[in-house]
Amino acid sequence: MQEAIQEILKKNQLSVTGSRVKILELFLDQPGALAHGDIERKTGEKFDRVTVYRTLQVFLNKGIIHSIPTADNSVLYALCKDDCGEGHHHDNHVHFVCDKCGNTVCLDEVTVPAIRLPRGYKFSQVQVVINGKCKDCTRE
Amino acid sequence: MQEAIQEILKKNQLSVTGSRVKILELFLDQPGALAHGDIERKTGEKFDRVTVYRTLQVFLNKGIIHSIPTADNSVLYALCKDDCGEGHHHDNHVHFVCDKCGNTVCLDEVTVPAIRLPRGYKFSQVQVVINGKCKDCTRE
DNA sequence: TTTATTTTGCAACAAAGTTGCATCTGTGTA
DNA sequence: TACACAGATGCAACTTTGTTGCAAAATAAA
């Protein structure tokens, strides 16, 4: 785990600091997305609020994480896959928000279907956010 | 225009008040979506900030407008079509955000394709937000 | 016109996000 | 290992965004 974190930071020419390591740990520890508030709460005693903001901003710029738009307009962040680079995102995968447990996950295995745009429109990025019940919550 | 506004409000059993009329005018005046900030700026001298919040909230509840999640996590609102009712949205159309001019429009003519979810997942709502260049901005 | 019900504005507050600056820490170099 | 420098952090102050309670005003119905 620690090696993976070091590698991510090195690859992006970022120095290895407490807050960066801790925040990456949080992302690696669980499969879903994290709200800014979640991160702040889980690191609040160790790092300043401002540091969390700045760290997430750096991760966003470097393409280590991406933000997820949700129907209730809260801000979520999730780890990007390996093929994301600076200013160059491959995050046109599907995001799934469970209405029951509230978890948000990236469904990497689901590909976004081609969408036919009207004449004159050119797309650069397609974000799909699906609300519903996740596989854990449909069992009950 | 004024008749259309009256009709919308009456149909939803809302009293016709200054702020509601004004805000509906803003939506009817232009084809795209509006950020809360836009609305506040354009009505700021006439209505209190709080009133704008509450009016939008009422419109949301009644299904007169819907909110659009965007990649930068700003809050946008757009008018719903006629077949939206209270607690019952038919807004599974595609939203298009132009990276050049910043406008956001609803592409009602583009239908959201069916997406095959992994086993166990059930969807209730699908939001698609496409970033790119709109038809006005590709011409240049 | 009168009355009951809603809506609005105000004030105060809470939460979310930003900025400048001094201090501290990590990294590369000697 | 020690040093110096660039970059990261914490703090304080601030701005923006969103919320709540209550009294005053506006609306709709009788």
Side-chain angles (χ1 to χ4, degrees), chain A residues 108-127:
Chain A
D108 297 298
E109 65 274 33
V110 178
T111 49
V112 176
I115 292 177
R116 196 176 194 81
L117 289 176
R119 197 177 183 74
Y121 286 86
K122 282 200 166 182
F123 79 92
S124 64
Q125 194 191 43
V126 179
Q127 293 257 14

Side-chain angles (χ1 to χ4, degrees), chain A residues 27-98:
Chain A
F27 278 111
L28 290 170
D29 264 344
Q30 51 88 53
L34 292 170
H36 178 96
D38 295 334
I39 299 167
E40 205 173 296
R41 247 165 277 126
K42 290 182 185 173
T43 64
E45 288 147 31
K46 302 190 68 169
F47 305 104
D48 194 77
R49 239 159 45 81
V50 179
T51 301
V52 176
Y53 278 107
R54 291 198 270 228
T55 303
L56 290 174
Q57 200 54 55
V58 167
F59 286 178
L60 272 181
N61 288 342
K62 292 289 186 177
I64 298 173
I65 60 176
H66 60 274
S67 68
I68 302 173
T70 61
D72 69 339
N73 285 291
S74 61
V75 190
L76 292 177
Y77 302 97
L79 273 187
C80 289
K81 298 302 153 191
D82 288 341
D83 53 355
C84 285
E86 195 157 352
H88 179 71
H89 275 279
H90 286 273
D91 53 354
N92 3 354
H93 54 267
V94 171
H95 293 114
F96 189 92
V97 182
C98 180

Side-chain angles (χ1 to χ4, degrees), chain B residues 15 17 19-20 46 48 50-51 54:
Chain B
S15 47
T17 68
S19 77
R20 289 177 182 164
K46 301 191 70 173
D48 195 76
V50 178
T51 301
R54 290 197 270 225

Side-chain angles (χ1 to χ4, degrees), chain B residues 4-107:
Chain B
I5 289 172
Q6 298 261 339
E7 196 192 314
I8 292 174
L9 291 174
K10 293 264 168 68
K11 195 168 64 183
N12 288 282
Q13 294 151 14
L14 293 173
S15 47
V16 180
T17 68
S19 77
R20 289 177 182 164
V21 171
K22 179 67 190 169
I23 290 178
L24 279 180
E25 275 179 16
L26 289 180
F27 277 113
L28 290 170
D29 264 346
Q30 51 89 55
L34 293 170
H36 179 99
D38 295 335
I39 299 168
E40 204 174 304
R41 249 164 275 128
K42 290 181 185 170
T43 64
E45 289 147 29
K46 301 191 70 173
F47 303 105
D48 195 76
R49 240 160 45 80
V50 178
T51 301
V52 176
Y53 276 107
R54 290 197 270 225
T55 303
L56 290 174
Q57 199 54 53
V58 168
F59 286 178
L60 273 181
N61 288 342
K62 290 290 185 176
I64 299 173
I65 60 175
H66 60 273
S67 69
I68 304 173
T70 61
D72 69 339
N73 285 292
S74 60
V75 189
L76 293 177
Y77 301 97
L79 275 185
C80 288
K81 298 303 153 193
D82 287 339
D83 53 354
C84 283
E86 194 157 352
H88 179 70
H89 275 281
H90 286 272
D91 55 351
N92 34 353
H93 55 266
V94 170
H95 293 111
F96 189 92
V97 182
C98 180
D99 295 326
K100 187 129 185 263
C101 65
N103 281 343
T104 296
V105 293
C106 300
L107 298 179

Side-chain angles (χ1 to χ4, degrees), chain A residues 15 17 19-20 48 51 54:
Chain A
S15 48
T17 69
S19 77
R20 290 177 182 164
D48 194 77
T51 301
R54 291 198 270 228

